[in-house]
Amino acid sequence: MDKKYDVIIVGTGAAGLYAALNFPEDINVLIVSKRDLPLSNSSLAQGGVACVLDTVHDSYKLHITDTLIAGKYKNNLSAVEKLVSEGPSDVLRIKELGVDFDLNPDGTMCKTLEAGHSRHRIVHHKDSTGKAIVDKHIEAVSALPNVTICDNALVYSIHKVLNGFYIDILKDGKSYCYGCSYCLLATGGIGRIYKYTTNSAISTGDGIAFAYMLGAKISHISRVQFHPTAFAAEKDRERFLISEAVRGEGAVLLNCNGKRFAFDYDSRGELAPRDVVSDAIIRESIKTKSEKFYLDITDKSADFIKERFPMIYERCLKEGVDITKDRIPVFPCQHYLMGGINVDLDARTSIDGLYAAGECAHTGVHGANRLASNSLLEALVFSRSAATDITNRIRNHGRKPLGTEPAHKPIEGKPMPHGFRSKIREIMQDTYFVIPKPEKYQESYNKVEKILNELLNNDYEINSDLVEAKSIAITASIILDEVREGINL
Ligand SMILES: Cc1cc2nc3c(=O)[nH]c(=O)nc-3n(C[C@H](O)[C@H](O)[C@H](O)COP(=O)(O)OP(=O)(O)OC[C@H]3O[C@@H](n4cnc5c(N)ncnc54)[C@H](O)[C@@H]3O)c2cc1C
């Protein structure tokens, strides 16, 4: 073992970084990210964080109700209550940290509306809230004496022993093994199992795959959210999101004939929850036999658009679309995972000492469908809970010897053949997109299992390609297994 920590946090998105901030100075923590620190889904978040800060015009009850409606009442009510009632103090805490939320002239935080919310309650930093949060958190965590940050360090396997874990990490082509009493997985989403996603390149489901291999309970992983309005670039895998807030501010959705159609499918029109709008687009696409759809916000003044959506304006301009004058080409793509590693209200998984928070975890907050801007809030609330729970356990039970270190496999091996990841992405895009194709579940599951066996039963060189290919295959296979068995839906 190269070194032992009290806690190892895998991931430097909102969940991992905020957890790190919540440990007292006598608890030593290692936090790792497999790429540069800011590369994460958290950094991409545009719209903001949903929370009730004004109890005159809004209430916890309304936020809970909106969350339950979006989640089709399949949410875990206790988790939703915790999210909504504890979230505001976490948001105020990160404001104290220096996160530059947009303010009204009277100094209160600006609150915008997003689809599915019955009140203006989304606090934001322009249209790049996630980056504002991550940047400030990296600054704050870097100043902590008890936290060691390690970037470009890929966790490639986790071994459970008597009183903790041994964690294998690949950095600069070398393998290291670190021990820890507690491990928090904050590894984010699974977007990269799809051909088209809004997710960042790190989203390959690694934490879910590790937890699954350790025997942890995985729940509702087939609850995948598709965002209705990603920029319809011709070839990019990572599609740039045109935030819900653009529709919140009045943008309308048009089909290939320039006709507004969202109200034909739901009385809430463009402001219906994302699954409803995504579904409407796909059905309209079948009806019109075209995948051309547009968002139009040209009704608003150019000054308003540039001030409110500076990042979206610039990004679209780069693609040749001036959103103050032109319609924005959009189409649904994979966006978020509601299910994941099953955790309780303290973010404990079913494996002793193993915690999970953020997008890789299933708290039950989102039910069948996430309400916009609830996920950053969930990452904050439940990662803070994990840190508190771990701290209490260390205080109450002290530090024990971990247990025998397992033998390590050499990282050298034959090169993995190309094409496994692309194949799985095609299968998932074809089988389990906005309108799933149940007739393909079994065949697709068999194909993914075949790839997975190939990956698990060959001595390929351990590198990021192999680790991510395995994670993608494991995640896709659990999703297809759930849907083919008709469980957990
Ligand atoms: C385009 C976009 C816009 C969004 N907008 C909003 C919004 O407005 N409001 C909202 O609430 N939510 C939004 N979301 C969702 C939200 O951003 C994410 O759900 C949330 O930020 C996830 O945070 P996280 O900390 O769980 O994961 P991430 O932020 O994705 O971080 C994951 C971390 O895990 C690390 N990691 C993964 N695997 C390994 C490994 N094997 N070894 C080492 N490190 C590893 C990565 O390097 C990374 O640091 C948006 C998402 C996207 C993609």
Side-chain angles (χ1 to χ4, degrees):
M1 173 171 60
D2 292 289
K3 194 162 175 190
K4 178 181 180 271
Y5 292 87
D6 292 322
V7 186
I8 294 182
I9 302 173
V10 189
T12 61
L17 290 167
Y18 193 59
L21 274 173
N22 279 282
F23 285 103
E25 277 193 12
D26 62 320
I27 290 187
N28 70 332
V29 177
L30 173 70
I31 179 165
V32 297
S33 73
K34 65 180 173 180
R35 301 277 190 88
D36 294 342
L37 294 181
L39 193 78
S40 63
N41 278 357
S42 297
S43 296
L44 295 176
Q46 300 177 355
V49 190
C51 73
V52 176
L53 294 172
D54 162 7
T55 47
V56 176
H57 302 100
D58 198 357
S59 68
Y60 292 168
K61 200 169 166 212
L62 283 172
H63 189 183
I64 290 170
T65 305
D66 292 345
T67 303
L68 297 177
I69 291 172
K72 301 189 168 69
Y73 294 93
K74 293 194 171 175
N75 323 57
N76 171 353
L77 184 59
S78 315
V80 178
E81 285 170 349
K82 179 182 168 87
L83 175 89
V84 168
S85 62
E86 296 182 14
S89 59
D90 289 304
V91 171
L92 292 175
R93 171 131 185 254
I94 65 168
K95 181 170 178 278
E96 285 294 299
L97 205 70
V99 177
D100 186 16
F101 287 108
D102 292 348
L103 302 179
N104 295 310
D106 66 359
T108 56
M109 286 155 93
C110 291
K111 297 172 204 80
T112 193
L113 187 66
E114 285 190 351
H117 288 275
S118 58
R119 293 290 184 276
H120 284 68
R121 65 166 77 97
I122 322 298
V123 294
H124 52 88
H125 169 81
K126 308 228 177 267
D127 56 352
S128 50
T129 310
K131 185 175 180 322
I133 292 176
V134 170
D135 288 353
K136 274 292 168 232
H137 276 69
I138 291 176
E139 219 178 287
V141 172
S142 305
L144 296 174
N146 60 318
V147 179
T148 306
I149 303 181
C150 192
D151 64 358
N152 292 295
L154 174 81
V155 170
Y156 68 89
S157 59
I158 300 182
H159 312 270
K160 170 88 182 102
V161 287
L162 193 59
N163 293 310
F165 302 89
Y166 286 97
I167 300 199
D168 292 324
I169 295 181
L170 204 61
K171 185 166 168 66
D172 302 329
K174 284 199 195 120
S175 167
Y176 300 86
C177 175
Y178 294 106
C180 61
S181 308
Y182 298 93
C183 174
L184 170 63
L185 296 171
T187 49
I190 58 149
R192 293 303 172 122
I193 72 167
Y194 278 89
K195 224 167 144 184
Y196 300 118
T197 173
T198 58
N199 286 194
S200 99
I202 56 91
S203 312
T204 48
D206 299 4
I208 295 170
F210 299 142
Y212 179 76
M213 296 303 266
L214 287 172
K217 184 174 177 203
I218 311 291
S219 292
H220 299 299
I221 194 176
S222 53
R223 290 182 180 166
V224 180
Q225 183 173 75
F226 302 96
H227 198 289
T229 56
F231 190 92
E234 286 301 315
K235 49 192 181 323
D236 296 347
R237 174 168 305 133
E238 184 177 324
R239 290 191 158 184
F240 174 58
L241 182 74
I242 309 296
S243 158
E244 223 115 36
V246 178
R247 276 173 285 135
E249 297 290 0
V252 295
L253 256 178
L254 306 174
N255 69 12
C256 59
N257 304 315
K259 179 182 171 279
R260 201 172 165 191
F261 63 93
F263 282 96
D264 299 349
Y265 296 89
D266 191 281
S267 60
R268 292 162 290 184
E270 281 87 356
L271 290 181
R274 349 190 118 148
D275 60 328
V276 177
V277 181
S278 297
D279 195 81
I281 293 178
I282 299 297
R283 290 188 192 283
E284 185 72 6
S285 158
I286 295 166
K287 201 165 127 190
T288 56
K289 298 191 176 61
S290 166
E291 292 196 349
K292 301 250 179 270
F293 289 86
Y294 304 92
L295 258 187
D296 189 347
I297 190 164
T298 55
D299 245 17
K300 299 279 170 194
S301 77
D303 284 348
F304 171 81
I305 294 171
K306 287 184 203 168
E307 168 60 25
R308 179 68 183 86
F309 301 113
M311 198 225 326
I312 294 176
Y313 171 75
E314 287 298 332
R315 276 297 304 265
C316 289
L317 209 55
K318 264 196 200 151
E319 304 282 342
V321 176
D322 178 348
I323 67 170
T324 64
K325 299 190 198 115
D326 306 326
R327 302 182 302 185
I328 313 166
V330 292
F331 201 68
C333 72
Q334 192 285 342
H335 184 55
Y336 185 76
L337 176 67
M338 272 77 68
I341 308 161
N342 202 56
V343 293
D344 65 12
L345 297 185
D346 291 318
R348 290 184 188 197
T349 70
S350 59
I351 303 284
D352 187 33
L354 185 70
Y355 289 70
E359 195 167 336
C360 68
H362 171 262
T363 59
V365 151
H366 308 297
N369 181 45
R370 172 181 70 122
L371 181 65
S373 287
N374 264 353
S375 45
L376 283 171
L377 191 69
E378 183 198 30
L380 298 177
V381 169
F382 287 88
S383 66
R384 188 242 315 137
S385 299
T388 308
D389 193 58
I390 293 170
T391 304
N392 290 339
R393 287 174 77 179
I394 293 174
R395 294 269 185 274
N396 294 337
H397 306 297
R399 294 168 166 92
K400 297 177 186 157
L402 292 186
T404 313
E405 185 174 342
H408 298 281
K409 259 180 83 177
I411 57 172
E412 294 77 19
K414 54 187 180 183
M416 176 184 77
H418 287 295
F420 290 135
R421 284 167 291 181
S422 311
K423 186 78 207 138
I424 293 172
R425 286 171 184 140
E426 272 162 30
I427 291 170
M428 292 306 288
Q429 191 76 31
D430 181 42
T431 311
Y432 198 63
F433 193 49
V434 177
I435 300 179
K437 296 181 184 143
E439 69 282 7
K440 296 201 168 177
Y441 289 166
Q442 185 62 51
E443 189 194 345
S444 297
Y445 172 77
N446 293 345
K447 285 182 184 163
V448 172
E449 276 293 288
K450 197 165 166 230
I451 295 174
L452 180 59
N453 283 331
E454 170 86 4
L455 290 168
L456 293 177
N457 297 322
N458 272 294
D459 286 329
Y460 293 131
E461 179 190 353
I462 298 176
N463 55 26
S464 60
D465 286 347
L466 177 70
V467 174
E468 295 190 349
K470 273 190 199 167
S471 301
I472 286 173
I474 291 172
T475 315
S477 102
I478 320 173
I479 292 177
L480 292 171
D481 191 32
E482 252 189 38
V483 292
R484 96 194 155 115
E485 294 289 344
I487 45 171
N488 259 342
L489 297 172

